[in-house]
Amino acid sequence: MICSNLIAFCQSTTIVTGTVTDAGNRRPLSYVTVGFAGTTIGTTTDEKGQFRLATTNPAYTQIKATFIGYVTATFTVVPGKEQSLNIRLQPDNKQLSEVVIQSSKKKKYTNRDNPAVELIRKVIANKDKNRPESYNYLEYKGYERLNFSFINVSPAFSDKKLFKKYKFLLDNRDTTTVPGKNLLPIYLNERVYQYYYSKNPERKKTKVIGEKGVNFGSFIDSEGIGVYFKHLYQDVDIYANSTVLVTNEFLSPISDNAPGNYKFFITDTVVVDNTKLVQLSFTPRNTNDVLYEGSIFITLDGNYAVQKANLTINRRINLNWVKEMHINLDFAKNAQGKYVLSKSNTMADFGLSKTKDRGLFGQRYVSYQNYAFNIARPDTTYEGRNEITSDEVKHRSDDFWAQNRQDTLSKAQAQVYTNIDSLGRMQSFKRIVDIAQLFVFGYKGVGPFDIGPANAFYSFNPVEGFRLRLGGRTNIDFSKRVLLETYAAYGFKDQKWKYFLSGIWSFNKNSVYRFPQNYIRASFQRDTRIPGQELMFLREDNFLLSFKRGNNDKYIYNDDYRIDYVKEFSNHFSFSLGLRKLTQTPAGSLYFITRNNNIPNQVQNLTTSQASLQLRYAPHEEFYQGKIYRKAFINRYPIITLDYKAGFKNVLGGEYNYQDISLNIYKHFYLKKLGDADVWLEGGNTFGTVPYPLLNIHRANQTFAYDPISYNLMNFLEFVSDHYASINIDQHFHGLLFNRIPLFRKLKWREVASFKSLWGGVRNENDPSLHPSLYEFPKEANGAPITYSLGSKPYVEGSVGIENIFKVLRIDAVKRFNYLDHPNIADWGIRARVQFIF
């Protein structure tokens, strides 16, 4: 058990470990409360009856063990030393005799007539009035520290010849923060901020007044690392029904339906600052559920508020990379007599194996001071972006931090700033990071230019044959506001060059990709494309996508001229304006043919001139913000995207007038015991008479990679529509069934399932069989149709599968349920996907 409330720079620590057993049958006792007498420093025994306690206060010399049905036992310990204490609790004869009279079996836990459950129901009933948000206005000053360290790195490393130049870093050890762990700090970020809250209307504002973090140099985005790990360590609101930690939703022990998910035990009563508190210990009813275990201290002053909480994630849940996690919350009484959060300390051990003692230790410590309630500020205080910061706050003096840091850094933590700054300037470290970036991101830095991506250097397809590609992009050493990107490719079968040129100018001075984006982009691309292929997160010329099932020799050569302007706002609404000229030329076995009087007329190419507008709203969206890329985190809020396109005839060679509108709604659902689900709803309509390349060619996938947003058993170009609607559900069960099967539970496999359905069709004005001037739908050489419009029934496919195989692999068995009479289709198949998930 990781201890809390440590005093910095302490010279000695009292550590007590041991086992609690029944004095009669010698069996270990679980969930016994063991703590330093007269304090709130304590813990509960695990399933083996084991416990661990630590304190740096030499005044604490007694240990007390309490458990319902047993006589409380008190023992003396020696301060400042590590010692083992095995405790045997004597059954309380009076309580034991009552149990024996009722039944010879162990009394079954029940909520009925249970004083612990009655107490937790009172806590739940009083939640709203105990939350800080019960006030009309709220403000406080916060201090946040996020630090990461390697655990138990051997001191011998610094003496090895290979690592001698890094001795200054490897010898900076922290042995006081977590007793029993030798920490090597590698990352530290601190923030001081002022928080404002308004209830009606509900508005939140965080104004950063100071920020300080390590700097690895231009090779590693230190800020992006901090944002990513902070997302894993989200604020734990004990009064909220649930909190998302390490991408999993944990139900609070005082959630509305906590009595149905947790077992509660009254394990102690203490008096702190003349206030009587009851300690409630809790454990999951089902040890496979994503729940906490631990204890909370409840006031008995009529408010039933939480005064302290010690939470540990359930050890048995199916969770990758996390060995253990502890959340300690401390509350202080304000002038109104209510308890408000004063400290939050979240600590976690990350590692490839839960049994080894090495890995990564992360801590997020937050303290809160200077609470003020019901002080109305001007509306300008709450308006605008939820968080306000600037470059100025990153250059505060040492005096500022001495006055505003609400905690003391250990000697090793304070030294990490200097050490990492020195590390970032070392040429050997830069070379190591450069090689790592090539393997992880596929780019090799050469001064102000990054060459890549490596996985697109070589590919092959039926039209181009063997294809070589070389390209890259500028980085921030070239410019923060200008991003240039290019590549050239050559196909040895079609003997054609393909190339791409793009230039972006950012109106933000920080970075092109920094939120909120505000940039203009001009580009030209001459390359091949498969109609209907639109894979998630992957490039079409990725080498692994060269392997496809069935016949896939129907390509298009594109000449694509574009100008786009993108503007994001602080409320996460954004719009994009675009102008585009696109010339499409059929390649391979694809053709454009019209028929007049049944006489075929082959069309060489199709040119369109188009204006577009995209409106997007993604409330509370957060990003892992890299230097020249960014990745959005999943949250519980929907993402709504509206696209409008208009084609213009006789403008820059455009051949058709048309309008196209589509709406896409994506939402991630947290379903508690059922896991979580990604749901996409989409619909669209094309207005005007246009050939099939300008209709919606539905997303198909003939690769062997599972794609969540495409139809994995639909052939390329198989279906087109001028009006359509679809639903796509990707369900993750997180081991709902497998966790109850011994072998699967040990393998940590998890169940997944998907359902995809597409409705649509082609109206008469876009049916080439009724309008010979339109391009006829493609056919095979033998006259068999390739492209269809959806009929009265939808296209449906589904899958069941297993994910978390070796922690990174997902395999699905996919089934297609209709339109099985189409030629060259697969009605089922096995698809795989590599993914890194907790």
Side-chain angles (χ1 to χ4, degrees):
M1 174 68 71
I2 298 176
C3 63
S4 60
N5 302 323
L6 296 177
I7 301 175
F9 306 108
C10 63
Q11 300 300 316
S12 61
T13 303
T14 304
I15 300 175
V16 185
T17 60
T19 304
V20 180
T21 58
D22 185 301
N25 57 31
R26 305 295 177 89
R27 292 180 179 176
L29 297 175
S30 304
Y31 311 116
V32 177
T33 299
V34 184
F36 290 100
T39 76
T40 60
I41 300 175
T43 184
T44 56
T45 58
D46 61 17
E47 295 174 350
K48 297 179 181 179
Q50 297 174 347
F51 69 92
R52 177 185 173 90
L53 282 173
T55 182
T56 56
N57 193 328
Y60 301 157
T61 60
Q62 287 190 319
I63 295 292
K64 184 167 67 172
T66 59
F67 195 50
I68 295 176
Y70 290 82
V71 178
T72 298
T74 304
F75 301 87
T76 301
V77 297
V78 181
K81 293 186 178 298
E82 185 169 351
Q83 53 218 284
S84 179
L85 183 65
N86 293 321
I87 301 173
R88 296 179 180 176
L89 291 184
Q90 295 287 344
D92 187 311
N93 291 331
K94 179 180 178 181
Q95 296 190 30
L96 182 62
S97 63
E98 291 175 353
V99 174
V100 172
I101 291 172
Q102 293 176 10
S103 174
S104 60
K105 297 182 179 179
K106 182 180 178 180
K107 189 175 181 179
K108 184 178 180 182
Y109 179 88
T110 177
N111 283 350
R112 187 175 182 181
D113 298 326
N114 187 334
V117 175
E118 292 176 8
L119 179 57
I120 202 65
R121 292 194 190 281
K122 291 180 179 179
V123 175
I124 295 170
N126 286 272
K127 279 196 309 181
D128 290 341
K129 75 175 185 180
N130 285 318
R131 300 189 69 173
E133 290 81 6
S134 64
Y135 295 94
N136 290 326
Y137 298 96
L138 165 71
E139 59 187 74
Y140 57 76
K141 186 178 182 180
Y143 165 76
E144 175 185 273
R145 184 181 71 239
L146 184 65
N147 55 276
F148 287 89
S149 308
F150 289 124
I151 302 173
N152 297 335
V153 177
S154 172
F157 269 107
S158 61
D159 295 326
K160 293 184 177 181
K161 184 177 180 180
L162 184 63
F163 298 105
K164 273 191 173 181
K165 63 179 66 177
Y166 303 109
K167 186 176 178 62
F168 68 95
L169 179 69
L170 296 173
D171 287 345
N172 183 43
R173 304 302 179 98
D174 182 352
T175 59
T176 62
T177 297
V178 183
K181 293 186 187 296
N182 189 316
L183 303 180
L184 178 63
I186 58 169
Y187 179 86
L188 180 63
N189 182 270
E190 299 177 274
R191 291 201 319 162
V192 178
Y193 59 91
Q194 189 70 28
Y195 176 82
Y196 301 93
Y197 171 80
S198 166
K199 187 174 184 179
N200 291 310
E202 186 175 52
R203 295 172 293 181
K204 302 176 183 179
K205 175 66 67 67
T206 299
K207 183 179 181 181
V208 180
I209 56 180
E211 186 168 5
K212 186 177 184 179
V214 298
N215 181 13
F216 289 98
S218 61
F219 286 75
I220 298 179
D221 184 17
S222 304
E223 184 177 348
I225 293 174
V227 171
Y228 176 75
F229 281 111
K230 183 180 176 182
H231 185 72
L232 301 181
Y233 285 80
Q234 294 189 32
D235 293 324
V236 176
D237 182 358
I238 194 71
Y239 289 107
N241 282 329
S242 62
T243 300
V244 177
L245 288 171
V246 286
T247 70
N248 285 261
E249 185 180 30
F250 287 81
L251 192 72
S252 169
I254 60 172
S255 65
D256 294 342
N257 55 350
N261 291 275
Y262 286 99
K263 295 179 181 179
F264 292 93
F265 308 90
I266 296 177
T267 48
D268 202 0
T269 58
V270 296
V271 177
V272 178
D273 296 332
N274 297 320
T275 301
K276 189 175 182 180
L277 306 173
V278 172
Q279 182 184 24
L280 272 178
S281 297
F282 52 87
T283 181
R285 284 177 173 266
N286 187 326
T287 55
N288 295 313
D289 289 343
V290 182
L291 298 168
Y292 300 108
E293 55 189 35
S295 61
I296 53 177
F297 291 80
I298 307 300
T299 66
L300 294 181
D301 56 1
N303 290 317
Y304 299 100
V306 178
Q307 190 268 349
K308 185 180 180 67
N310 298 315
L311 311 176
T312 302
I313 62 173
N314 177 7
R315 299 178 182 91
R316 289 193 174 188
I317 62 173
N318 189 340
L319 189 64
N320 292 332
W321 324 116
V322 181
K323 293 191 286 186
E324 58 180 340
M325 177 176 280
H326 304 270
I327 304 101
N328 300 318
L329 307 176
D330 291 306
F331 295 77
K333 187 182 292 186
N334 63 15
Q336 289 77 24
K338 291 188 176 182
Y339 283 87
V340 292
L341 187 63
S342 60
K343 293 180 182 178
S344 171
N345 194 11
T346 303
M347 298 170 285
D349 281 7
F350 299 93
L352 297 177
S353 171
K354 292 190 177 184
T355 58
K356 295 183 179 180
D357 61 354
R358 295 181 181 178
L360 186 69
F361 172 78
Q363 180 184 28
R364 182 172 180 244
Y365 172 86
V366 188
S367 62
Y368 309 87
Q369 293 182 352
N370 303 336
Y371 275 93
F373 305 94
N374 292 332
I375 298 177
R377 301 291 183 182
D379 286 343
T380 53
T381 302
Y382 311 99
E383 294 173 348
R385 295 179 59 181
N386 290 339
E387 180 171 305
I388 299 177
T389 188
S390 64
D391 286 337
E392 180 186 358
V393 304
K394 300 178 181 179
H395 304 283
R396 299 300 190 192
S397 65
D398 291 340
D399 289 339
F400 169 88
W401 288 103
Q403 296 172 11
N404 290 275
R405 184 182 283 130
Q406 300 175 20
D407 190 47
T408 304
L409 298 181
S410 69
K411 184 178 179 180
Q413 288 173 339
Q415 186 63 30
V416 75
Y417 285 124
T418 303
N419 287 350
I420 298 301
D421 186 62
S422 301
L423 181 69
R425 293 196 297 266
M426 295 176 65
Q427 290 301 319
S428 59
F429 176 72
K430 292 180 179 179
R431 286 193 293 269
I432 293 172
V433 174
D434 199 28
I435 294 172
Q437 285 185 326
L438 177 62
F439 282 97
V440 176
F441 301 110
Y443 284 89
K444 173 68 172 68
V446 181
F449 194 77
D450 294 336
I451 298 175
N455 59 13
F457 286 163
Y458 161 66
S459 61
F460 57 88
N461 62 67
V463 173
E464 297 176 275
F466 179 80
R467 171 185 165 118
L468 291 179
R469 166 179 153 160
L470 183 64
R473 62 195 180 189
T474 59
N475 54 44
I476 62 171
D477 290 337
F478 176 80
S479 173
K480 289 184 177 180
R481 304 182 70 167
V482 176
L483 176 64
L484 305 177
E485 189 171 2
T486 186
Y487 70 77
Y490 184 76
F492 285 82
K493 182 176 181 180
D494 64 357
Q495 298 182 349
K496 291 180 180 290
W497 282 97
K498 294 86 182 175
Y499 46 87
F500 171 73
L501 273 172
S502 170
I504 298 179
W505 167 263
S506 175
F507 296 96
N508 295 333
K509 62 180 181 180
N510 293 328
S511 170
V512 171
Y513 287 103
R514 187 68 57 184
F515 177 84
Q517 291 181 336
N518 185 14
Y519 67 80
I520 189 168
R521 174 180 181 177
S523 65
F524 171 72
Q525 182 181 46
R526 171 170 290 173
D527 210 335
T528 59
R529 179 176 64 87
I530 301 176
Q533 178 169 276
E534 190 177 331
L535 299 178
M536 195 175 188
F537 308 129
L538 297 173
R539 295 176 179 268
E540 292 185 8
D541 51 6
N542 185 311
F543 167 73
L544 295 177
L545 300 185
S546 299
F547 301 93
K548 297 182 176 70
R549 63 172 176 84
N551 185 17
N552 55 94
D553 63 345
K554 292 166 181 60
Y555 276 64
I556 285 179
Y557 289 115
N558 283 337
D559 275 6
D560 193 359
Y561 299 84
R562 299 188 62 161
I563 296 178
D564 297 282
Y565 173 67
V566 176
K567 172 69 173 178
E568 292 180 332
F569 296 90
S570 58
N571 63 354
H572 296 278
F573 171 79
S574 65
F575 71 85
S576 302
L577 292 172
L579 296 174
R580 184 184 193 189
K581 178 184 177 181
L582 175 64
T583 299
Q584 303 181 68
T585 303
S589 64
L590 188 63
Y591 55 84
F592 295 164
I593 287 182
T594 62
R595 293 185 181 273
N596 292 319
N597 298 321
N598 208 29
I599 299 175
N601 175 40
Q602 187 160 344
V603 180
Q604 296 300 316
N605 52 57
L606 168 64
T607 299
T608 54
S609 297
Q610 176 181 283
S612 64
L613 169 67
Q614 182 185 88
L615 305 177
R616 184 176 183 271
Y617 183 50
H620 305 286
E621 187 173 43
E622 293 181 301
F623 301 97
Y624 168 65
Q625 187 75 67
K627 294 182 183 299
I628 49 177
Y629 63 92
R630 69 180 188 180
K631 181 181 183 301
F633 293 118
I634 293 174
N635 62 30
R636 63 179 73 249
Y637 299 96
I639 298 176
I640 304 171
T641 306
L642 178 67
D643 281 291
Y644 173 78
K645 301 171 185 176
F648 303 100
K649 188 175 181 179
N650 299 325
V651 175
L652 298 177
E655 300 175 42
Y656 291 92
N657 286 317
Y658 61 90
Q659 298 179 74
D660 184 274
I661 189 168
S662 63
L663 177 67
N664 182 290
I665 301 174
Y666 163 77
K667 189 176 186 322
H668 184 81
F669 289 90
Y670 292 99
L671 303 174
K672 297 182 174 62
K673 292 184 178 181
L674 294 178
D676 57 69
D678 295 296
V679 178
W680 291 265
L681 298 175
E682 188 175 2
N685 197 90
T686 301
F687 302 92
T689 300
V690 292
Y692 74 84
L694 301 183
L695 299 178
N696 190 281
I697 302 175
H698 296 293
R699 289 186 296 267
N701 180 21
Q702 286 185 230
T703 74
F704 296 99
Y706 179 84
D707 185 47
I709 67 169
S710 297
Y711 301 97
N712 291 288
L713 292 179
M714 183 185 290
N715 288 343
F716 296 132
L717 264 174
E718 185 176 357
F719 289 103
V720 298
S721 298
D722 59 13
H723 62 282
Y724 70 96
S726 66
I727 182 170
N728 184 343
I729 302 173
D730 200 43
Q731 172 73 45
H732 305 258
F733 291 101
H734 292 191
L736 178 66
L737 298 177
F738 287 175
N739 286 342
R740 290 158 174 80
I741 303 174
L743 176 61
F744 287 176
R745 182 169 63 241
K746 186 174 182 179
L747 292 171
K748 301 295 184 183
W749 287 358
R750 305 170 187 170
E751 321 87 337
V752 289
S754 73
F755 172 80
K756 301 175 183 180
S757 186
L758 170 68
W759 296 263
V762 175
R763 294 186 294 268
N764 289 342
E765 59 264 33
N766 290 311
D767 187 343
S769 65
L770 301 177
H771 295 273
S773 60
L774 296 174
Y775 303 170
E776 70 176 26
F777 287 166
K779 299 178 181 178
E780 298 284 6
N782 60 7
I786 294 173
T787 302
Y788 303 82
S789 64
L790 288 159
S792 58
K793 59 183 179 181
Y795 172 88
V796 179
E797 71 175 43
S799 72
V800 293
I802 301 173
E803 65 179 351
N804 210 42
I805 302 173
F806 307 119
K807 296 185 179 181
V808 297
L809 185 63
R810 168 178 175 170
I811 298 179
D812 283 74
V814 189
K815 172 66 177 175
R816 172 170 169 160
F817 293 102
N818 51 13
Y819 295 101
L820 302 180
D821 56 339
H822 290 187
N824 303 318
I825 60 100
D827 61 351
W828 79 279
I830 302 295
R831 300 292 179 265
R833 180 179 181 83
V834 176
Q835 55 189 16
F836 293 88
I837 55 177
F838 281 94

